[in-house]
């Protein structure tokens, strides 16, 4: 959500940002609606003031025993009552239209976000590790099926496309990965573990900018709740409608949950394998901060996500997304892209975004300093630490050997005692 006062003060900033997202003219449209809302409010206030004045005159007329004048004034008041009802309805309608428009418009990028229309405008910030040399690398689908541990056909029979059945040692590796990530974020990086609901209401989905724009990307239950597309939704909603003491911030929380996405906008993309699924596990990172803490917290969150890839010795690069490639609610986003040998390229495995007060305004989440009366909106940040399925894919492909086995990264040995390979002993 946007601050209409800020839009009034710097319409050019908003118009430029929205035009880059294909919403040219939105600033003028919003300001036009805002003007009509204020005009309707002024008309209502003027009518109410006139009604109040007439009510006083009625009292004076009755005090003077002038029943004729009192009756005339009462008729005028009754007529104004109908005007007030009509003006109030006009104001409510226009205010609703303005709120709906503002809710449909993306966040404004931070000043340091590069220009660009799509992923080709993204900027590489740094690169870590050298791509593993794998002779004639197999992709994860071939590896998993040859080991008898990935079954896409069975998944398709029971659920349709974009689902996977993972079996045996590979299922154990997936479970170990999730636990390893969660332990790293809680024990080393200072996040508080939370086990949140997997179903949320409209308010939570709206507050985290998933509704109304991305309704088609979500799964909805028969009672109107939504399956979470990421734990960002319930974790950020912990502060929905709350005033958090500034002394308690930053608040850092994490969760390992299943995630559910319809992938409505991904037709034809990554249809093979586990890169893009309807259901997957992910460790989510969420931070709630004061406005002055958020930039530093964003860099910290990225480093926390990077630490998982470094511990697993998976080569990756960190990308600063350009304006045209950023998500709807982000003011700045870093993507971590891991090396995938079978594709000979880096693929996204984590996205860490700072949303500023965009989500906080939608969910009315504020902070207050002790001893002060005023409140201000918090800033919210979210990121993957990491997507478990894509990390499993990266390990399978980067740690494969010529025998079709998959070596287990050293960092996971405590979670898989005595194991050295998938497809070997263990």
């Amino acid at each position: 959500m946007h601050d209409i006062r800020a839009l009034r003060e710097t319409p050019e900033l908003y118009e430029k940002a929205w035009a880059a997202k294909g919403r040219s003219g939105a600033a003028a449209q919003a300001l036009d609606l805002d003007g009509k809302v204020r005009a309707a409010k002024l008309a209502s206030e003027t009518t109410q003031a006139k009604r109040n004045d007439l009510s006083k005159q009625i009292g004076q007329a009755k005090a003077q025993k002038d029943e004729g004048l009192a009756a005339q004034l009462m008729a005028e008041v009754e007529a104004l009552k109908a005007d007030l009802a009509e003006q109030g309805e006009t104001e409510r309608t226009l205010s609703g239209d303005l709120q709906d428009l503002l809710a449909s418009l993306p966040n404004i990028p931070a000043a340091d976000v590069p220009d660009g229309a799509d992923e080709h405008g993204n900027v590489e910030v740094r690169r870590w590790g050298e791509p593993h040399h794998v002779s004639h690398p197999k992709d994860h689908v071939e590896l998993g099926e040859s080991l008898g541990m990935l079954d896409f056909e069975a998944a398709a029979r029971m659920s349709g496309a974009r689902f996977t059945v993972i079996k045996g040692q590979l299922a154990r590796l997936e479970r170990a990965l999730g636990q390893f990530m969660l332990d790293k974020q809680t024990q080393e990086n200072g996040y508080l573990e939370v086990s949140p609901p997997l179903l949320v209401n409209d308010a939570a989905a709206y507050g985290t900018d998933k509704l109304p724009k991305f309704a088609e990307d979500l799964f909805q239950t028969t009672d109107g709740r939504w399956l979470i597309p990421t734990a960002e939704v319930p974790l950020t909603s912990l502060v929905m409608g709350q005033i958090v003491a500034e002394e308690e911030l930053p608040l850092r929380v994490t969760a390992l949950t299943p995630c559910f996405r319809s992938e409505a906008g991904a037709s034809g993309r990554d249809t093979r394998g586990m890169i893009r699924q309807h259901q997957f596990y992910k460790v989510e990172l969420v931070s709630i901060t004061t406005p002055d803490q958020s930039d530093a917290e964003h860099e910290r969150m990225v480093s926390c996500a990077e630490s998982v890839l470094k511990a697993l010795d998976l080569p990756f690069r960190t990308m600063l997304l350009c304006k045209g490639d950023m998500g709807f609610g982000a003011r700045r986003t870093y993507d971590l892209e891991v090396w995938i040998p079978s594709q000979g390229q880096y693929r996204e495995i984590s996205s860490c975004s700072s949303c500023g007060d965009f989500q906080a305004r939608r969910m009315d989440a504020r902070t207050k300093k002790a001893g002060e009366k005023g409140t201000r909106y918090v800033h919210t940040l979210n990121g993957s630490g990491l997507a478990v399925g894509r990390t499993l894919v990266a390990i399978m492909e980067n740690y494969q050997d010529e025998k079709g086995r998959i070596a287990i990264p050293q960092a996971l040995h405590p979670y898989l005692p005595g194991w050295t390979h998938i497809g070997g002993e263990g």
Side-chain angles (χ1 to χ4, degrees):
M1 190 61 75
H2 300 280
D3 182 357
I4 191 63
R5 290 171 297 182
L7 174 56
R8 292 173 195 150
E9 293 169 1
T10 56
E12 301 84 2
L13 171 67
Y14 285 82
E15 175 56 29
K16 182 179 179 181
W18 290 335
K21 287 284 192 176
R23 296 298 298 271
S24 181
Q29 185 182 359
L31 289 174
D32 178 61
L33 270 174
D34 176 52
K36 291 178 180 177
V37 170
R38 289 194 287 169
K41 184 177 181 181
L42 178 60
S44 182
E45 290 173 347
T46 301
T47 302
Q48 184 62 55
K50 185 176 180 180
R51 187 182 183 203
N52 293 342
D53 182 58
L54 288 172
S55 295
K56 290 179 183 179
Q57 293 181 43
I58 291 170
Q60 293 169 355
K62 287 188 174 184
Q64 295 172 3
K65 311 265 186 220
D66 190 343
E67 294 301 329
L69 178 58
Q72 177 186 334
L73 293 171
M74 289 173 67
E76 291 184 41
V77 167
E78 189 63 26
L80 289 178
K81 182 179 178 181
D83 289 344
L84 273 174
E86 183 179 346
Q87 290 166 348
E89 181 61 29
T90 298
E91 182 184 348
R92 283 190 293 274
T93 299
L94 289 170
S95 293
D97 291 344
L98 177 59
Q99 292 304 305
D100 288 346
L101 174 60
L102 292 176
S104 74
L105 295 168
N107 204 350
I108 302 301
D112 59 348
V113 172
D115 290 327
D118 51 33
E119 62 185 20
H120 298 99
N122 297 341
V123 175
E124 184 173 321
V125 177
R126 53 186 167 268
R127 190 175 292 209
W128 186 90
E130 292 296 324
H132 293 200
H133 177 70
V134 181
S135 298
H136 309 294
K138 299 177 181 177
D139 71 7
H140 67 282
V141 176
E142 186 178 357
L143 283 166
E145 289 182 336
S146 66
L147 291 168
M149 299 178 192
L150 285 184
D151 193 336
F152 294 97
E153 290 185 5
R157 287 196 302 271
M158 68 180 80
S159 302
R162 296 192 188 277
F163 289 93
T164 309
V165 173
I166 306 176
K167 303 177 183 178
Q169 295 176 332
L170 211 53
R172 177 76 181 276
L173 176 59
E174 181 190 41
R175 177 157 54 94
L177 265 175
Q179 293 304 311
F180 163 71
M181 293 175 186
L182 200 56
D183 287 347
K184 175 166 280 293
Q185 302 303 349
T186 56
Q187 297 173 15
E188 297 180 21
N189 294 334
Y191 286 85
L192 173 68
E193 182 177 355
V194 175
S195 180
L198 303 182
L199 294 171
V200 296
N201 59 24
D202 286 357
Y206 175 84
T208 49
D209 64 66
K210 305 301 177 282
L211 290 179
K213 183 175 176 60
F214 300 105
E216 68 172 6
D217 291 320
L218 307 179
F219 289 110
Q220 189 173 28
T221 61
T222 54
D223 66 356
R225 293 183 176 89
W226 304 89
L227 288 168
I228 62 169
T230 161
E232 170 204 344
V233 177
L235 292 181
T236 308
S237 296
L238 290 171
V239 296
M240 180 172 62
Q242 303 298 302
I243 298 176
V244 185
E246 192 167 306
E247 293 72 24
E248 297 177 9
L249 302 180
L251 171 66
R252 302 179 179 118
V253 288
T254 186
L256 168 61
T257 68
C259 303
F260 306 92
R261 299 183 184 177
S262 72
E263 296 293 350
S267 178
R269 288 192 295 163
D270 297 309
T271 55
R272 175 179 168 84
M274 295 170 55
I275 293 292
R276 197 177 297 273
Q277 298 272 281
H278 288 312
Q279 173 188 319
F280 57 94
Y281 287 97
K282 181 156 70 79
V283 171
E284 185 72 8
L285 308 175
V286 163
S287 293
I288 311 296
T289 76
T290 63
D292 49 295
Q293 294 169 334
S294 64
D295 284 347
E297 185 68 16
H298 195 194
E299 300 298 327
R300 183 187 189 276
M301 179 179 284
V302 174
S303 70
C304 291
E306 290 176 337
S307 70
V308 177
L309 291 169
K310 290 177 180 178
L312 295 173
D313 194 22
L314 289 171
F316 69 92
R317 64 181 185 179
T318 302
M319 307 291 291
L320 176 61
L321 300 196
C322 69
K323 294 174 182 176
D325 199 35
M326 281 201 310
F328 178 78
R331 67 185 298 268
R332 184 193 303 107
T333 297
Y334 291 101
D335 272 4
L336 307 187
E337 298 179 347
V338 70
W339 180 253
I340 301 296
S342 68
Q343 298 183 12
Q345 62 179 326
Y346 291 93
R347 295 297 306 270
E348 179 200 336
I349 198 169
S350 171
S351 189
C352 297
S353 296
S354 170
C355 298
D357 64 5
F358 185 77
Q359 293 179 327
R361 288 180 178 276
R362 297 170 74 103
M363 64 173 58
D364 193 24
R366 301 170 182 259
T367 183
K368 182 178 180 295
K369 184 178 290 187
E372 295 185 1
K373 292 183 179 180
T375 63
R376 53 181 177 164
Y377 289 107
V378 298
H379 279 201
T380 63
L381 304 94
N382 63 80
S384 305
L386 305 164
V388 177
R390 292 192 179 193
T391 308
L392 181 63
V393 168
I395 288 175
M396 291 174 68
E397 295 205 11
N398 281 280
Y399 280 87
Q400 64 179 292
D401 63 19
E402 294 180 358
K403 299 178 181 179
R405 302 181 306 168
I406 301 158
I408 296 171
Q410 188 69 34
L412 296 178
H413 285 191
Y415 297 84
L416 299 165
W419 292 29
T420 61
H421 292 78
I422 298 296
E425 65 269 28

